[in-house]
Amino acid sequence: MVDANAKLLDSRSRAGWLRLRTLVNLRWLAIVGQLVAVFFASYVLEISLQLELGLLVIALSAAFNISSILITSETTRLSKPAAVWILLFDLGQLGVLLGLCGGLTNPFAALLLAPVVIAATALGTRPTAILVLAATGVILLLGSFYYPLRLADGTVLTPPPLLVSGNIAALLIAVGFVALYARRVSRESEAMSDALVATQMALAREQRLTALGGVVAAAAHELGTPLATIKLVSSELFDELENHPELRDDAALIREQADRCRDILRDMGRSGKDDALLRHAPVLTLVQEAASPHRNRGKAVILRIDGRLENHDPAHQTPDQPIVRRDPETIHGLRNLVQNAVDFAAQTVWIDIDWDARSLKIRIGDDGQGYPPDLIGRIGDPFVRRRASAPQSSAQRPEYEGMGLGLFIAKTLLERTGARLTFANGSTSRNPRPARNPRPGVAALARPGGAIVEVVWPLERIAQPRGQAQMPLGANPRNEA
């Protein structure tokens, strides 16, 4: 039930997210820092540098900035290849400047990590690998080819070879580690952002459907009396026009069309009952509404309330069951959990509703393979794709290629309503699975042997106070102009 546009969540859609002006501003900052460092080392510390060549390299970077500002607009965004080339230019410019100013003996050699970090956080895995290789090459070259630092009296600042080797090793390790660390954090952030976008889209869809259902329910309520009158009058005309066959056929047609209008309105309003005076419903009705789209998909969905099987006759429903809010978040979250159970069940899904004086519990379980033990602690995180550790689940349902967002959306929406979710696997020894072709009574008494998710609400967060009476359904309010 994830109504998300896959193109919005595709990693290729992030191409063009990096603004050229951002890199230009960062380069201006680097140019100012390079100028300050070069002049401070030359005139304050009195270190002999290749000042003219160094200023030429810095001027080249400034010219690149100025041309970027003059040629492109302020809102220009870079493609991945263009961003990689610009970062390679920055890396090369910094490498040349360091080569003129002591190589890796220069303490500012750590700035070689900057382009790698930018690529890891903004561009993706392949551009990051390119920048890592380029930075590695620059570090190895600077370890052998550079102008040494000299004091004003000609003394060469030569660190011990062991220290130089240590700096090379440290920089190489830092480039790889920082790139891996930054990329991992960036990927998790992107996954969470994509999952939250999908959650908002799913919730918006559910709210639209609920609002549309409310309009239909209100229309059905308002049109009930006129349709009943039309049917009554047409039936009387049908009886009185026995000697006029043509007119009698017209009266019969009017009666049939009135019945058809009634059926259409009833079917359209079946999934939407968010009428202004129906904000609450019995918990069994809420769960039935959430599970209804998945009860005719070839799997048995057994619903038990307070230990007893559901009864579709409203007159025989459990009288003291909690009256809960009909929030779109609750309905859509439970619907996603039921969908996930039906997707991976072998034959049967069980939904158990229980409550006490303090909490309301809904357990949804199936007789499938269950959650893989190595992922049980990550269930509910976005983009966790595997449901079973064995390849049997893909063989049972080869068409399943979901993004792993269903459980995340369900968890996020239900937690917004105050619920706490727990994911576990049933025990095959204590909770035997149903037989291959179970009898109805056996399946009804069985316990889930596969995946189980328990949703627990504090009763005061979701239930209507017992002392508050349910208002009868009256005329829907009208907005006065």
Side-chain angles (χ1 to χ4, degrees), residues 172-184:
L172 291 176
I173 294 173
V175 165
F177 175 77
V178 169
L180 180 63
Y181 183 84
R183 186 60 198 148
R184 181 65 181 270

Side-chain angles (χ1 to χ4, degrees), residues 421-443:
L421 277 71
T422 304
F423 300 92
N425 285 325
S427 170
T428 56
S429 59
R430 297 180 57 187
N431 302 322
R433 298 183 186 179
R436 185 64 181 171
N437 294 305
R439 296 184 307 242
V442 175

